[in-house]
Amino acid sequence: MKAIYFLVGLLALASSFASAYDPSPLQDFCVALNDTQNAVFVNGNFCKDPKVVVAEDFFKHVDPGNVVNKLGSNVTPVSVNELPGLNTLGISLARLDFAPKGLIPPHTHPRATEILTVVEGTLFVGFVTSNQNNTNRLFTKVLNKGDVFVFPIGLIHFQFNVGYGNAVAISGLSSQNPGVITIANAVFGSTPPISPEVLTKAFQVDKKVINYLEKQF
């Protein structure tokens, strides 16, 4: 009988651990505020009254993106900000358009794994691992129409059109608000800017090089 009580106790304890957990963050930060009158965010979005929900809350048309820019690419996100029906569902997507030699530069999604499907064209893609064993490993692959590739959550990755024509891909992301950090923009275009002393030391280059790079962003 004592063994049964012990087993029941263990199951109850396991159940409490399973149900009492912190949800994954859905934004960069959420500072605690006791004054509810001035609270403006929750971890996610407030829910619309189900009685007034309509089909359009779950629908979004996505047009081709404008690729006439210095990168020759365009990302059209479909996150909870564009499609309210995604709220609490833990998914989103993006349409990726590329001109010939168009690039989506190295970036990360802090809250999502990305799975990419090539719809048209040929892409050279890759990601870099964390510094396991003091080595950042690079994994790359040339993808053609119909190919699928996955970028693990939080890792730096890129997509580059190596074909002769335009390319199109669809990316699924495992968060309603995956976030994006474009490495060059974040390092050389932050507000306020990172101290040149920090950047010259980090990249082991002259301050003139840092100044030039900062002007690009």
Side-chain angles (χ1 to χ4, degrees):
M1 185 63 70
K2 290 183 178 179
I4 294 176
Y5 285 142
F6 180 71
L7 179 59
V8 170
L10 281 179
L11 290 174
L13 184 62
S15 176
S16 67
F17 280 132
S19 60
Y21 67 94
D22 291 331
S24 298
L26 295 173
Q27 60 249 359
D28 288 341
F29 48 79
C30 184
V31 179
L33 183 66
N34 293 324
D35 181 5
T36 56
Q37 290 184 347
N38 292 319
V40 293
F41 287 111
V42 293
N43 189 27
N45 293 57
F46 290 106
C47 296
K48 189 176 183 179
D49 186 342
K51 295 177 182 178
V52 297
V53 169
V54 294
E56 282 70 21
D57 292 324
F58 304 95
F59 172 80
K60 173 74 176 178
H61 176 78
V62 179
D63 289 314
N66 182 5
V67 296
V68 182
N69 54 63
K70 60 184 179 180
L71 290 175
S73 67
N74 189 284
V75 177
T76 306
V78 184
S79 68
V80 68
N81 297 319
E82 293 78 28
L83 185 57
L86 288 174
N87 195 34
T88 75
L89 299 183
I91 58 170
S92 61
L93 65 79
R95 173 181 172 131
L96 315 181
D97 289 278
F98 302 84
K101 304 305 177 184
L103 170 71
I104 295 177
H107 63 283
T108 73
H109 301 292
R111 294 180 288 276
T113 290
E114 175 181 351
I115 185 166
L116 177 145
T117 303
V118 178
V119 177
E120 198 66 52
T122 302
L123 296 178
F124 175 65
V125 306
F127 68 85
V128 181
T129 67
S130 60
N131 57 342
Q132 301 177 58
N133 301 318
N134 295 317
T135 301
N136 297 99
R137 293 187 63 192
L138 172 65
F139 292 85
T140 64
K141 187 75 175 175
V142 174
L143 306 180
N144 295 297
K145 183 177 180 178
D147 289 342
V148 176
F149 195 83
V150 65
F151 306 97
I153 185 171
L155 298 186
I156 296 173
H157 58 284
F158 61 87
Q159 297 97 6
F160 181 52
N161 181 9
V162 293
Y164 294 102
N166 286 10
V168 180
I170 300 294
S171 284
L173 298 124
S174 61
S175 171
Q176 70 181 43
N177 186 22
V180 60
I181 302 171
T182 304
I183 307 305
N185 297 57
V187 173
F188 298 109
S190 67
T191 304
I194 299 173
S195 167
E197 185 178 1
V198 172
L199 296 180
T200 53
K201 186 79 170 181
F203 289 97
Q204 296 292 292
V205 295
D206 189 84
K207 185 179 178 182
K208 292 181 180 179
V209 176
I210 298 300
N211 291 339
Y212 171 79
L213 290 171
E214 288 180 332
K215 289 178 181 179
Q216 310 309 307
F217 301 96

